[in-house]
Amino acid sequence: MATVTLRELTKKFGAAAAVDRLDLDIGDGEFVSLLGPSGCGKTTTLRLLAGFLQPDGGEIRVGQKVVSSPAVLIPPERRNMSMIFQSYAVWPHMTVFQNVAYGLKLKKLDGGEIAKKVERMLRLVHLDPLAGRYPGELSGGQQQRVALARALVVEPEILLLDEPLSNLDANLREEMRFEIRRLHEEFRITTVYVTHDQAEAMVTSDRIAVMHQGRIVQLGSPEEIFDRPKTRFVAEFIGKTNILRGMLESGRSVALGDGLKLRVLAGDGLAPGKEVFVCIRPHSLRLTPSAAEAEAGRGKGMNLFQGVIQRRVYFGDANDYIVELPAQRLNLRVVAPPTQKYEAGQKVFALADPEQCVLVGEE
Amino acid sequence: MSIPQTTVAESAAGARAFRLRRFDATLPVWMGAALFVVVLMLLPLGAIFTTSAFTEKGLTLGNYVEVFTDPAYLKAIWNSVITSFWVGVIAVAVGALLGWLVTRTDLPFPRAVRALVMASFVTPPFLGAFAWTLLAGPNAGLLNNWYRAASGSETALFNIFTIEGLIFVMALYSFPYVFSMIANVSELISSDLEDAANILGASRWKIALTITLPLTAPALIGGFIVAFLHSLSLFGAPAILGLPAGIHTITTQIWAFFQYPPRLDLAAAFSVPLLLATVGLIAVQKKLLGRRGYSTVGGKGGQKRLLKLGYLRWPAFLLVAAILSLSVFLPYGILLKAALSKAWAMPLTLDNFTLGNFTFTFFQYGDTQAAILNTFKLGIATATAGTLLATLLAYITNRQLLRGARYLSFFVLAPLVIPGIVLAVGLFIAYSKPPLMLYGTIWILFVAYLTKEMPIGFSQTESTFKTIHPELEDATRIIGANRLRALKDVTVPLARSGLIAAWSFIFIGVIRELSASILLFTPSSKVVSVVIFDLKEEGQIGAIAVLGILLLAVSFLIILAVQWLAGREFFASSRG
């Protein structure tokens, strides 16, 4: 059983803790992303998992076995893991075939079996016609596939990926996200995927761990992370968002300045009478010029804002508006369909479903 | 698993020991290599300090007092300082000019000029000094003969056996160091930096003076220090040019201390200031180059445009050709002439032509066959062992395999600041008594060369390793290879051309080595450079020329071979 358990995992570089008492449980066959901005400790966590680094505190267990702790360090070559690197790290002096076969040779498999396994794997990643090529003759995407094939062919218990797509161009990146998910569904290898790109994490992962300053600030399914961010950091890091500051009154009502009250989705552990933040995604807001429609919406329990269009940016597939709320002295960002056109200075109403107004804490 | 509760310090230490013992099977290799090189460096240095400061009666400064009060010894120090200073000045002037002309202007035939500077670099200074005694000796020197024939005068125009002559020759073989530093820096200065000044209205020459020159200033000062130190450590040139005129330098004086009756204590005491001066200057240089210098220059992307010299183009080329004829054409010409003629000072006519010098050198003269064999055996052995050791050490420092790996490179690079003859003093003392009785065998030369060439091998392999992305190696480890296997399968093959270059640098360094060999050889372990020195005493001009040509020919063949291999490698890596 390749479950992975991180307990109180700590790694310091000098005085600063790059990974700070981090806890994480990964189930067998699960795909977990470590998502965060650069410097949040996600790559360090991955290199700790691989055994390239030794922790200063805590431990890593695979199944019941401790593989890393301040007292124990099973070297990378004896962990039965595979890793995909940001730079692909495809060996330039070996052909595609030799690259993929290398790990099997280390396992001392006989030649015929190696050839069979390599060929099957190359077919799977659509590289079979290129087996004799050198990496220098391949595109970035093809090199990435070589790296994938090389990592998978040894049938690892655990697969680690370190920003594998960040060197690819945008189109290829999108394609490879699905490819990685497809291969995961094929092999069901326990996988840890490090990225700073939320879309990658959303497409590929069963669960996402958002990291900040060496700790996991939220762990959950892509939907939970996006729709129910727990902290302001998560809300702002994952996608665009409006953050409104207010006072929590009773369980589900937040007072903004100037008498406007918002009905919100209940937040955990936030006490009334405290300053809180409300997160509203720009696409959760609906604009309308009609006062009647606005009133009807309010009648159905929607939150209603009154404002003036300050600026419009046309993106082709959407209009991006900045709506000024004079009474609250703040701006809302709203994403509207391209057919909804308002000019700067026009008065509008914005409606928001309380289910999509999420209370978040400061941290 | 249960670990007993202990204090933090104890458990950390225990953890380390546990980790090393239990899990990294390749550790003994790294520890062994590191320990070996530390001992290799510490033994001779320790020997120098103890011999200089201890007598049977205990700790004393007597040796230091003796060497630093005797006017003759002080004069030798002064000679070294003054010659090295002027060598530094001339080398910077010539090296910077050539470096700038080749990299930044439309000077004709830049590749040929580079190749000839490389030739000056490869020429052993003692060989150049010897050739110049044939060219500008006051009595029979070729240039003086020409002058007498042309002017009808009875006196000589040049006398190479003077301080000025010594400065001149040492500068000829020191300027390539400055050249390569300047050429490297100035290739990195993009024309954007110069264009920025141009757009503000500066003229071409103003730009050269106000932008290009200041950007290269750190390299100029660094070049001066390197040339200064290089000339300070030379033994052959001052021995050949200075000793006949009674001019001693520090290095020839150390050699004289070894002549009968040997005064090891004084030699050791005399070595210490040379050592300290070198250490100090290298520190200054590091500081200079470590600051802004290269980083501001390091921008890539910017294009480099060549400055048009205009009507100065050919005059500049003539000047360059003249300089290179002093360091290459004239010396090589006279060596060739001396090798092929019965009487070297006579015109090379059919009557005067002979191959007798070759048969004499290779088959009749007693020492040469054994010396040639020794030289190449030592060259191959040192280059092979040195490359292997340098690979392991560079790998340790590059991957921070051991605690304190950073400090390891200090030890490896230490010989850079140890002049060859000082190293020889230390090795002689350290290895001429049991239990390490190497003196009298060829092994002491092997140890000397290995020590002396370690810095070049190490820096070459280290800079090669730096270009190899560590993830290439991590990728081998995570799928089951241990460190040694990763090194063998991935890092070394990828570093191949750098390792071949390291091997060749060491080999060429060994076959031309004189200043350490001169103190460490015994009759049974002579090498070519020492035989040349002996032949000089005997006046066997033709044989020296033959051996000199042999050394040069082998060096150039090796360089060509490396360029060919590296070229292929480069080709392969652009494909693969």
Side-chain angles (χ1 to χ4, degrees):
Chain A
M1 280 289 283
T3 59
V4 180
T5 312
L6 283 60
R7 281 285 167 270
E8 299 263 303
L9 191 67
T10 302
K11 179 70 190 175
K12 289 183 177 142
F13 294 117
V19 176
D20 189 9
R21 283 165 293 147
L22 184 138
D23 288 309
L24 179 61
D25 292 274
I26 302 168
D28 185 37
E30 192 181 19
F31 194 124
V32 172
S33 282
L34 303 179
L35 176 65
S38 61
C40 71
K42 57 191 191 298
T43 293
T44 305
T45 307
L46 198 73
R47 292 184 68 81
L48 284 164
L49 273 167
F52 291 121
L53 296 172
Q54 183 160 26
D56 297 312
E59 62 181 27
I60 300 171
R61 288 199 305 268
V62 173
Q64 290 310 305
K65 188 175 163 205
V66 176
V67 296
S68 287
S69 79
V72 175
L73 183 70
I74 307 277
E77 62 264 26
R78 303 214 326 245
R79 292 190 170 212
N80 207 8
M81 297 181 182
S82 276
M83 183 158 169
I84 310 238
F85 298 87
Q86 198 169 358
S87 64
Y88 319 139
V90 175
W91 303 306
H93 59 303
M94 300 182 194
T95 61
V96 168
F97 184 93
Q98 288 167 332
N99 262 283
V100 179
Y102 184 83
L104 297 175
K105 270 194 205 146
L106 289 173
K107 290 185 188 257
K108 300 204 164 56
L109 267 59
D110 75 72
E113 197 176 347
I114 290 179
K116 221 168 62 197
K117 286 192 175 211
V118 171
E119 275 156 25
R120 203 180 61 215
M121 186 52 70
L122 287 178
R123 260 200 311 281
L124 204 68
V125 295
H126 314 300
L127 279 177
D128 36 327
L130 304 178
R133 297 272 189 98
Y134 281 92
E137 300 164 326
L138 303 181
S139 70
Q142 288 167 333
Q143 292 191 33
Q144 192 56 266
R145 286 168 197 273
V146 176
L148 270 168
R150 183 177 69 185
L152 293 173
V153 78
V154 296
E155 293 163 24
E157 276 188 319
I158 295 161
L159 180 64
L160 309 172
L161 300 99
D162 183 13
E163 308 241 8
L165 306 184
S166 61
N167 282 333
L168 297 176
D169 65 53
N171 285 334
L172 209 49
R173 198 152 55 210
E174 200 163 4
E175 180 191 325
M176 287 302 287
R177 281 174 205 157
F178 294 111
E179 179 80 1
I180 287 172
R181 184 65 206 181
R182 174 178 78 87
L183 289 170
H184 179 69
E185 273 156 19
E186 173 115 18
F187 291 98
R188 285 284 163 200
I189 298 167
T190 309
T191 301
V192 183
Y193 186 106
V194 158
T195 181
H196 64 269
D197 182 329
Q198 44 141 339
E200 267 175 38
M202 298 267 173
V203 172
T204 54
S205 314
D206 299 321
R207 281 192 301 162
I208 297 175
V210 182
M211 286 188 67
H212 184 47
Q213 295 177 340
R215 313 198 64 163
I216 292 175
V217 287
Q218 189 170 356
L219 176 67
S221 70
E223 292 80 3
E224 282 168 357
I225 296 283
F226 192 81
D227 294 340
R228 310 267 183 276
K230 277 190 185 148
T231 72
R232 186 174 172 182
F233 171 80
V234 175
E236 287 182 326
F237 186 72
I238 312 287
K240 302 164 206 158
T241 190
N242 293 297
I243 297 286
L244 309 179
R245 187 195 295 262
M247 188 75 74
L248 185 60
E249 293 192 321
S250 64
R252 299 193 53 180
S253 172
V254 171
L256 302 184
D258 209 39
L260 181 61
K261 289 200 166 109
L262 281 188
R263 306 205 317 121
V264 298
L265 190 69
D268 306 335
L270 292 169
K274 280 215 155 164
E275 186 177 60
V276 290
F277 298 91
V278 181
C279 155
I280 309 172
R281 302 283 179 193
H283 61 258
S284 312
L285 285 157
R286 191 159 58 78
L287 292 182
T288 172
S290 130
E293 197 180 328
E295 278 309 319
R298 195 200 327 244
K300 284 184 230 154
M302 306 274 266
N303 289 311
L304 179 63
F305 302 91
Q306 209 168 352
V308 178
I309 298 288
Q310 196 191 53
R311 202 195 61 192
R312 175 173 75 99
V313 179
Y314 179 59
F315 277 101
D317 59 350
N319 275 313
D320 200 310
Y321 291 102
I322 301 288
V323 179
E324 195 181 1
L325 308 182
Q328 285 75 35
R329 279 182 311 235
L330 56 85
N331 292 337
L332 280 183
R333 191 162 166 198
V334 182
V335 175
T339 48
Q340 275 193 33
K341 277 180 94 174
Y342 306 97
E343 292 312 318
Q346 192 174 342
K347 282 192 174 165
V348 288
F349 299 93
L351 291 162
D353 185 344
E355 287 292 307
Q356 289 171 334
C357 298
V358 183
L359 268 185
V360 296
E362 171 72 88
E363 254 313 301
Chain B
M1 85 182 294
S2 74
I3 302 165
Q5 287 297 311
T6 50
T7 67
V8 175
E10 266 175 337
S11 67
R16 206 170 306 122
F18 184 62
R19 164 177 112 210
L20 303 188
R21 215 174 44 239
R22 271 288 294 282
F23 294 118
D24 198 343
T26 65
L27 196 81
V29 177
W30 317 121
M31 296 281 272
L35 199 67
F36 178 74
V37 80
V38 169
V39 171
L40 196 66
M41 301 302 161
L42 281 184
L43 267 184
L45 288 181
I48 287 176
F49 283 108
T50 50
T51 307
S52 71
F54 286 97
T55 61
E56 294 90 65
K57 288 178 224 125
L59 188 65
T60 172
L61 287 178
N63 293 326
Y64 288 97
V65 173
E66 189 172 346
V67 290
F68 293 115
T69 51
D70 190 314
Y73 302 153
L74 288 176
K75 179 74 180 158
I77 295 178
W78 174 245
N79 285 339
S80 275
V81 171
I82 196 76
T83 52
S84 301
F85 174 79
W86 286 111
V87 167
V89 170
I90 298 170
V92 165
V94 174
L97 180 69
L98 261 61
W100 177 73
L101 284 172
V102 166
T103 54
R104 308 295 302 183
T105 73
D106 61 345
L107 187 81
F109 310 118
R111 288 167 62 95
V113 172
R114 266 178 195 270
L116 288 165
V117 173
M118 181 72 175
S120 323
F121 185 69
V122 170
T123 310
F126 67 83
L127 204 59
F130 168 74
W132 270 96
T133 65
L134 305 184
L135 287 166
N139 299 324
L142 187 71
L143 298 179
N144 284 323
N145 282 347
W146 286 354
Y147 168 74
R148 288 195 197 96
S151 68
S153 157
E154 290 294 301
T155 56
L157 184 60
F158 307 106
N159 181 5
I160 202 74
F161 299 107
T162 53
I163 289 266
E164 294 78 15
L166 180 57
I167 292 172
F168 167 75
V169 170
M170 294 202 295
L172 284 182
Y173 299 103
S174 299
F175 87 82
Y177 291 91
V178 186
F179 173 89
S180 67
M181 293 174 81
I182 293 293
N184 282 343
V185 173
S186 103
E187 289 210 312
L188 290 173
I189 302 176
S190 84
S191 293
D192 295 350
L193 294 171
E194 293 169 338
D195 290 349
N198 202 345
I199 237 142
L200 296 173
S203 73
R204 287 187 303 191
W205 298 102
K206 181 131 193 175
I207 292 166
L209 278 176
T210 56
I211 306 293
T212 319
L213 188 69
L215 279 172
T216 47
L220 288 174
I221 300 170
F224 173 84
I225 291 177
V226 167
F228 181 93
L229 289 175
H230 177 245
S231 112
L232 202 62
S233 70
L234 285 180
F235 167 76
I240 288 169
L241 300 175
L243 288 183
I247 302 167
H248 262 300
T249 60
I250 299 180
T251 52
T252 61
Q253 187 60 53
I254 291 175
W255 171 75
F257 284 134
F258 266 68
Q259 306 309 304
Y260 193 81
R263 289 297 308 271
L264 290 186
D265 46 352
L266 294 189
F270 213 55
S271 301
V272 171
L274 192 52
L275 194 59
L276 295 182
T278 326
V279 172
L281 282 174
I282 294 273
V284 170
Q285 191 208 10
K286 271 205 107 126
K287 201 160 174 158
L288 279 173
L289 296 189
R291 274 168 52 197
R292 58 189 177 104
Y294 291 116
S295 57
T296 51
V297 171
K300 46 187 166 180
Q303 272 202 338
K304 184 169 72 95
R305 241 186 353 268
L306 299 180
L307 177 70
K308 296 232 183 314
L309 290 171
Y311 61 89
L312 284 175
R313 188 163 181 243
W314 288 99
F317 180 71
L318 281 183
L319 177 68
V320 170
I323 293 168
L324 291 170
S325 62
L326 294 179
S327 67
V328 178
F329 294 127
L330 283 173
Y332 284 27
I334 196 88
L335 284 178
L336 208 57
K337 180 164 180 272
L340 294 172
S341 49
K342 292 173 185 150
W344 69 267
M346 295 289 126
L348 185 55
T349 57
L350 217 51
D351 282 345
N352 195 19
F353 177 82
T354 178
L355 290 176
N357 289 320
F358 286 85
T359 46
F360 172 77
T361 311
F362 291 134
F363 302 110
Q364 288 158 11
Y365 187 74
D367 289 337
T368 36
Q369 279 192 2
I372 291 171
L373 207 62
N374 280 344
T375 299
F376 290 124
K377 270 199 287 196
L378 281 165
I380 290 168
T382 313
T384 308
T387 306
L388 195 69
L389 188 58
T391 303
L392 293 177
L393 294 169
Y395 186 74
I396 295 171
T397 57
N398 203 263
R399 300 284 190 266
Q400 302 281 321
L401 288 193
L402 302 171
R403 295 174 68 84
R406 282 180 300 151
Y407 304 106
L408 190 61
S409 57
F410 285 127
F411 284 99
V412 184
L413 294 176
L416 275 184
V417 302
I418 310 175
I421 200 154
V422 173
L423 179 67
V425 171
L427 289 171
F428 181 88
I429 300 168
Y431 297 118
S432 60
K433 50 184 179 292
L436 291 165
M437 190 63 199
L438 296 181
Y439 182 70
T441 70
I442 204 165
W443 288 104
I444 195 163
L445 290 171
F446 173 75
V447 172
Y449 297 159
L450 189 63
T451 314
K452 199 178 166 193
E453 301 300 329
M454 193 45 62
I456 183 107
F458 175 77
S459 31
Q460 178 68 37
T461 43
E462 231 235 339
S463 63
T464 310
F465 281 176
K466 276 199 188 125
T467 64
I468 298 172
H469 202 302
E471 286 185 353
L472 286 168
E473 214 181 275
D474 291 345
T476 50
R477 296 202 64 208
I478 194 74
I479 55 175
N482 70 22
R483 278 197 186 280
L484 275 177
R485 186 81 198 250
L487 187 63
K488 178 178 136 293
D489 286 348
V490 169
T491 313
V492 165
L494 290 177
R496 204 187 67 160
S497 62
L499 298 182
I500 292 174
W503 192 96
S504 319
F505 286 149
I506 297 177
F507 183 85
I508 291 173
V510 167
I511 62 170
R512 61 184 280 185
E513 211 290 330
L514 173 67
S515 60
S517 317
I518 197 73
L519 296 190
L520 299 174
F521 80 93
T522 51
S524 66
S525 59
K526 279 195 179 173
V527 290
V528 170
S529 58
V530 169
V531 168
I532 289 180
F533 200 71
D534 283 356
L535 288 165
K536 174 83 179 46
E537 305 287 290
E538 297 172 28
Q540 297 283 4
I541 307 287
I544 298 179
V546 168
L547 286 177
I549 289 168
L550 174 73
L551 285 187
L552 290 173
V554 172
S555 304
F556 288 128
L557 278 178
I558 297 258
I559 290 172
L560 286 178
V562 171
Q563 289 198 335
W564 183 70
L565 282 170
R568 272 173 57 100
E569 186 73 23
F570 179 74
F571 201 70
S573 69
S574 70
R575 178 216 65 188

